[in-house]
Amino acid sequence: MGKLAIFLVPLYLFAQAPARKDQTVLLPNGWSLSPAGEQLEIGDLPLNAALSADERFLAITHSGQSRAEVMLVNVKQRKVVQFERLKDAWLGIKFSGSSLYVSGGNQNCVYTFKLQNGKLTAKDSIKLEEPQPKYRGSVAGLDVHKGTLAVVMRNDSSLRYYDLKSKRQEKVQLDGMPYTCKYLADGTLLVSVWSSKKILAFNGAKLLFEVPTGDHPTEIEVDRKFRHAYVANANENSVTVIDLRAKEAIGTVNTAIYPDSPEGSTTNSVSLAQAEKILLAANADNNSLAVISLENPKRPTPLGFIPVGWYPTKVLTLENNTILVLNGKGGRSMANPGKQYIGSLFKGTLSFIKYPERNRFVEYTKSVFRNTPYKPEHLVGSSYEFATAIPRKIGDSSPIKHVFYVIKENRTYDQVFGDMPEGNGDSTLTIFGETITPNHHKLARQFVLLDNLYVNAEVSADGHNWSTAAYATDYVEKLWPTMYGSRGGAYDFEGSQPTGTPKAGYIWDACARANVSYRSYGEFTEVGSTPGAHSTTLVKGLEGHFSPTFRGWDMDYSDVDRVTDWEKEFSEFEKNGGLPQLNIIRLPNDHTEGTRKGKLTPRAYLAQNDYALGLLVERIAKSKFWMESAIFIIEDDAQDGPDHVDAHRTVGLVISPYTKHRFVDHTLYTTTSMLRTIELILGLPPMSQFDASAMPMFNSFALGADTAEYAAEPPQYDITRKNKEGDYGQVIMEQMDLTKEDAAPDRLFNEIIWRSIKGTPMPPPRYSIFSGRSKKDDD
């Protein structure tokens, strides 16, 4: 195929390569961190916290993939003094005197502890089960008032009152999925309905009133006089201000860096500060606190921002005006050359921040603006100065009329392309190299090799959302770790749970709004009971826009057969016209089934997936549509393999007559870069702050066309080869659930694949160049 070409490109593109500069860390999604204050590493997905009455201790719930626990921090010493492992924990935590109540999540219970002499002592847990043995109400937020524990249950949309003395329970049915609850002084209970845009107020079982809010109302903060409530709206970059006496919303304050930003700030926690003249709002996906003046509650005024860690989930304020922040994903991303599971790599942190004086506050605000790649002008296009086939502005013309967007499953760059000397690879980590994936390698050489491409996601649950919506809601981000940690919950992250849907919807919804034709082949569909049965969809936007004969997730169905099924419709379009402008095609079998008895070997699965991809590209390249087409290929996530740069670095390809040929593109791209490029081709506005701010893939494209077609390479590995009796990890694999993507414990799943192919122990871990250092590294 010849050597890869070198093109003259603007140097600033390469300046985006990940690095640490001073106190700033560039994340693999293109955003940066420079957290204020002192950072204490605390654990996997800290989600909520409660202060003891004397503010000496902070109790924290952890709800990450690797473990669930409650942790006790000595606030004065700024040190962890205790942690207690739990079967499950999710969100709810509250001190009442010396008693601590902690949500048991899918265990349908509330754990109780006693705080004495600086230590938590476990007491009997409170069971909140229904008569049926498989009941999974799932405890979310809670509060305590005068001997009554109030608890909201996510899965059955209910409110429970539990009398702590008599142990009697009362159930109130709600009309939507709740998030948390908050008592007022008179016993009125406010409930945020996560799935709806409202707050409900109850006196016992009696509904007193309801108040409209923004989308995804989450945490509720109330002032000391119980005059106003402040509600974080996670899907709407805002906080709703409620007059509790008038029982109505009196204002909404935008918490995003720019007021007209699309969704993506994920405002999910609020706290009053400075004698209640200031409201702090945690923007999880902006990695910042919005600082809002409450001098006039009817006109709350944003003043600026404070930079914090990655994905802040909780903000509190001490009486001395020290700000405490839980950062759900911590302060850095990591490499995983030792094949560490990505879901457990995050090390959440607790920030201690002195409320800033004016000059420091100005610097903090400037820092947040520097850390944020999104700018308002991104809503209309890019300022890229060189002409390519990709439009620079929304609505500009392009020679590309048809996009084929192929979504695959779970591979890292080094796993597949680490053996390519042209790119930044580590061949010692390559297990599906050129003999297994000849088409991937040939396509990368004939067209563009992307060695600096990162997924925005960690796993398939958020991966299919990032891949189709350029965003994963707080529902998805806060619940996938529980399910992936095998602590309960269903895989309901691909349209089956409306609460997980972004406000702007998915790329097919954007197409529908812009009258752009589209069709899905296997993405966000449910397969029939047998290969001959038609697939269905629960997603309204895909009704009438998906192929019922294309089989989505089913590891027993060949990707080669999937391409054959797709090709039947494609040939009809070639014959009769009507080829959609956007075609989303799912080729999932590079996920593999590990060493499961009687199933294909991991390498056979990859070879099958590779051959299917080659056939798909060849068919398009030899069709009448080729000169008006572009094919974009990406993994939904990169969780199933090692990478020496970062656990988010992945396999991706861009293929078109208009892509540069025999070229290595080192530009930092993300999942949302690929979506942004597709949107520009189709004339679609961005769906979130993340596709708006992502670098479009201009540098991979030229202005003129290269008419060379593509011929698929036949498999070099037997794509029908099956695992042998007694293969490594086979007994464990037999117990794993592979009926849904990522339903099996991925960390163990990955280790079995590695050992079955390499036959050697996994190498020790190394940190990413994204990550910098911490005190624990030095230790």
Side-chain angles (χ1 to χ4, degrees), residues 225-467:
K225 294 183 178 179
F226 301 96
R227 293 187 60 184
H228 297 101
Y230 305 90
V231 182
N233 302 312
N235 258 22
E236 206 164 275
N237 313 335
S238 71
V239 173
T240 298
V241 183
I242 298 173
D243 186 322
L244 293 172
R245 296 178 182 178
K247 303 174 183 177
E248 64 182 14
I250 58 172
T252 299
V253 56
N254 190 292
T255 54
I257 293 177
Y258 300 99
D260 295 324
S261 302
E263 66 187 299
S265 294
T266 318
T267 312
N268 71 151
S269 180
V270 281
S271 178
L272 291 162
Q274 296 290 89
E276 301 192 335
K277 294 180 180 179
I278 293 292
L279 182 72
L280 302 172
N283 290 326
D285 276 304
N286 288 166
N287 313 314
S288 67
L289 301 181
V291 182
I292 301 160
S293 171
L294 298 177
E295 291 289 345
N296 181 356
K298 293 183 179 181
R299 293 187 62 85
T301 306
L303 300 176
F305 301 91
I306 298 174
V308 295
W310 194 359
Y311 207 85
T313 54
K314 177 69 175 180
V315 56
L316 308 95
T317 310
L318 303 180
E319 288 293 334
N320 64 8
N321 282 313
T322 298
I323 304 167
L324 306 181
V325 181
L326 299 185
N327 303 297
K329 299 184 181 183
R332 58 188 182 180
S333 186
M334 296 183 183
N336 64 338
K339 216 169 188 303
Q340 302 81 8
Y341 179 51
I342 190 172
S344 60
L345 280 177
F346 296 111
K347 305 299 180 185
T349 56
L350 170 61
S351 298
F352 296 84
I353 307 168
K354 181 181 178 181
Y355 190 88
E357 300 294 332
R358 177 176 174 79
N359 289 343
R360 176 60 63 88
F361 182 46
V362 170
E363 287 304 312
Y364 279 163
T365 300
K366 290 180 179 178
S367 178
V368 171
F369 275 86
R370 286 193 298 268
N371 292 342
T372 305
Y374 170 76
K375 302 291 185 293
E377 55 266 28
H378 292 149
L379 294 178
V380 295
S382 171
S383 59
Y384 187 79
E385 56 188 298
F386 297 92
T388 74
I390 307 302
R392 286 172 285 189
K393 303 293 182 185
I394 296 171
D396 286 355
S397 63
S398 170
I400 301 169
K401 306 301 180 185
H402 302 286
V403 171
F404 300 86
Y405 182 32
V406 181
I407 301 174
K408 305 197 303 100
E409 290 282 339
N410 303 18
R411 296 295 141 214
T412 63
Y413 178 92
D414 275 339
Q415 269 193 306
V416 178
F417 286 150
D419 62 345
M420 293 189 71
E422 302 93 337
N424 178 19
D426 183 343
S427 61
T428 67
L429 302 178
T430 303
I431 54 177
F432 302 118
E434 188 156 8
T435 58
I436 307 300
T437 54
N439 283 287
H440 282 74
H441 286 70
K442 182 178 179 179
L443 288 165
R445 289 197 176 99
Q446 182 173 334
F447 297 94
V448 181
L449 174 63
L450 304 167
D451 69 349
N452 204 16
L453 169 67
Y454 303 84
V455 289
N456 288 73
E458 278 75 58
V459 296
S460 289
D462 59 334
H464 284 278
N465 285 270
W466 281 107
S467 299

Side-chain angles (χ1 to χ4, degrees), residues 539-557:
V539 180
K540 185 176 181 180
L542 286 180
E543 292 176 359
H545 295 274
F546 74 97
S547 171
T549 59
F550 188 95
R551 195 160 181 81
W553 180 267
D554 179 354
M555 290 291 94
D556 291 327
Y557 198 76

Side-chain angles (χ1 to χ4, degrees), residues 106-171:
N106 289 312
Q107 290 296 308
N108 304 310
C109 72
V110 174
Y111 299 104
T112 65
F113 297 87
K114 202 76 170 177
L115 178 61
Q116 292 178 317
N117 301 319
K119 183 179 180 181
L120 291 173
T121 303
K123 301 296 182 182
D124 290 340
S125 60
I126 298 169
K127 293 290 184 180
L128 298 165
E129 292 184 323
E130 295 288 311
Q132 57 266 37
K134 293 185 178 181
Y135 172 69
R136 289 292 179 267
S138 194
V139 181
L142 55 81
D143 202 359
V144 184
H145 178 74
K146 293 184 177 180
T148 299
L149 172 69
V151 174
V152 291
M153 312 286 279
R154 271 199 336 263
N155 289 349
D156 70 351
S157 298
S158 68
L159 161 64
R160 306 297 180 95
Y161 291 106
Y162 183 87
D163 189 300
L164 295 169
K165 187 173 181 180
S166 69
K167 300 184 180 181
R168 288 198 303 267
Q169 296 186 42
E170 181 181 6
K171 178 181 178 181

